[in-house]
Amino acid sequence: MLRKEEKKKECCKDDKFITKVQSIMADEETIFLLSDFFKNFGDSTRVKIMGALFNGEMCVGTIADVLNMTQSAVSHQLRVLKASRLVKARKEGKLVYYSLNDDHIKMIYKMGIEHILE
């Protein structure tokens, strides 16, 4: 009698298909970077900050006021978002203005909202 695992392999194994899928999958480093990228979307504070920035460029104080958070807490999360290239910074005199890095980030954020509201 075959074990369940052996039955599964026997009934659905397709070496050509397996090889094809393996050849088009992203490499390990890319998978790691993608996983790290999506980790930022797993933190509600970071998602709130991205949601605020979805509406336009803001300084830390404005983000803190919008989200009813301390500037210190916002600054900490902005550092993480900036390191992950989700947010970019622009200096104007002594002030630093933050915005979403590019339209890809806006699209991912918007698609996520649309998905959960379906």
Side-chain angles (χ1 to χ4, degrees):
M1 179 172 233
L2 294 175
R3 294 186 314 221
K4 286 183 181 183
E5 184 180 316
E6 290 172 352
K7 281 185 180 181
K8 184 178 179 183
K9 286 182 181 180
E10 183 180 305
C11 71
C12 66
K13 187 173 181 181
D14 180 342
D15 290 334
K16 287 182 183 179
F17 181 70
I18 291 168
T19 301
K20 177 184 173 188
V21 172
Q22 287 174 334
S23 72
I24 60 176
M25 283 188 65
D27 61 64
E28 286 297 318
E29 181 180 350
T30 302
I31 295 293
F32 175 80
L33 293 172
L34 182 62
S35 174
D36 195 50
F37 171 81
F38 279 112
K39 281 181 189 175
N40 289 291
F41 288 89
D43 182 283
S44 61
T45 301
R46 291 182 201 138
V47 173
K48 284 180 189 178
I49 291 170
M50 287 187 280
L53 293 175
F54 189 86
N55 297 289
E57 183 179 71
M58 294 180 211
C59 66
V60 173
T62 302
I63 297 168
D65 288 344
V66 166
L67 300 178
N68 198 26
M69 295 174 60
T70 65
Q71 287 189 19
S72 175
V74 170
S75 291
H76 171 73
Q77 297 300 339
L78 283 168
R79 274 192 296 278
V80 174
L81 291 168
K82 190 176 172 194
S84 297
R85 297 183 1 204
L86 294 171
V87 165
K88 63 184 175 183
R90 177 183 67 82
K91 258 189 155 180
E92 190 174 295
K94 292 183 179 185
L95 287 176
V96 179
Y97 292 93
Y98 293 90
S99 61
L100 294 178
N101 195 36
D102 58 31
D103 287 337
H104 294 113
I105 307 306
K106 290 179 182 179
M107 188 169 56
I108 292 166
Y109 180 87
K110 185 177 178 186
M111 288 174 68
I113 294 290
E114 289 171 355
H115 176 73
I116 61 168
L117 294 178
E118 286 184 338

